[in-house]
Amino acid sequence: MTNVAVIYYSSTGNIHKMAEAAAAEAEKAGAEVRLRKVAELAPRSAVESNPAWAAHTAATEDVPVATPDDLVWADAVLLGTPTRFGLPSAQLKQFLDSVGGVWAQGKLANKVVSSFTSTNNAHGGQESTILALNNTFYHWGAIIVPPGFTDPVQFEKANGNPYGASSVTHNQPGNVHPDNLAAVAYQARRATEIATALKAGLSAA
């Protein structure tokens, strides 16, 4: 069986919604899936100052927090983060910064990886965020699998990002267009299928 880890950070629920769609599709594709959030770094006062942030934090208390072992376990990893000034969130970046030990042991090489994001507006840094994440994956020796323009869902009105699925939230919590949910589901299925084929090929080599 192919192991897929969907690891994300979400403050008000948009990326969480996309992560759930990705996890569900990977399961449909036959994978064993771990859905994991990364640890919150913001002070409680900041979270509680935003009702939507506080509500989402409370609603997802039961989602396990990601550890480096989740990356070691996985054959494919999908990472989701909102954009922060055109870059990944500090929360997701801190998690990635914590995996040097397993990276040094070569345990992150040949992982299939793919990323998704959300922004407040259409030109808020989706592509630069995903490209920034890719810099980490090059160091791992991972295999980056973007959605590309390989499925008609990418040509729907709300899509068109070959780097990775992205959502424009317009500052509304949990506001993910159905096209974007379909896009991230397709992306998860594609990553799972390629990881399955890679795993079979390496086993047969």
Side-chain angles (χ1 to χ4, degrees):
M1 180 173 283
T2 301
N3 297 333
V4 175
V6 181
I7 298 173
Y8 73 95
Y9 174 72
S10 186
S11 55
T12 60
N14 298 290
I15 288 295
H16 172 74
K17 197 168 184 178
M18 296 177 75
E20 287 187 317
E25 192 65 26
E27 286 185 344
K28 287 181 185 177
E32 183 175 348
V33 178
R34 291 183 184 179
L35 178 65
R36 300 288 188 265
K37 65 185 179 186
V38 298
E40 180 60 79
L41 302 179
R44 180 171 293 274
S45 59
V47 175
E48 292 178 348
S49 70
N50 182 326
W53 193 355
H56 177 68
T57 299
T60 56
E61 284 182 341
D62 61 335
V63 179
V65 174
T67 70
D69 178 66
D70 294 313
L71 296 178
V72 175
W73 168 87
D75 302 300
V77 182
L78 289 105
L79 294 112
T81 176
T83 288
R84 294 292 184 261
F85 303 109
L87 295 167
S89 65
Q91 290 85 346
L92 186 67
K93 183 60 166 61
Q94 191 278 334
F95 170 71
L96 295 176
D97 287 346
S98 75
V99 304
V102 292
W103 165 79
Q105 297 173 56
K107 293 183 178 180
L108 302 183
N110 298 330
K111 304 289 184 183
V112 167
V113 294
S114 201
S115 304
F116 55 96
T117 189
S118 70
T119 58
N120 184 51
N121 55 51
H123 301 286
Q126 296 100 324
E127 294 173 4
S128 64
T129 297
I130 291 171
L131 290 171
L133 283 170
N134 286 351
N135 289 331
T136 298
F137 309 145
Y138 300 139
H139 285 252
W140 290 359
I143 299 165
I144 300 168
V145 175
F149 287 111
T150 58
D151 188 271
V153 71
Q154 288 297 83
F155 295 94
E156 297 298 330
K157 183 177 180 181
N159 287 323
N161 189 342
Y163 301 84
S166 59
S167 173
V168 178
T169 67
H170 300 296
N171 205 30
Q172 297 176 23
N175 179 36
V176 183
H177 193 283
D179 286 352
N180 299 137
L181 293 176
V184 77
Y186 167 72
Q187 184 175 345
R189 183 169 70 253
R190 175 172 161 81
T192 300
E193 290 172 352
I194 291 175
T196 300
L198 178 64
K199 188 175 185 178
L202 290 173
S203 297

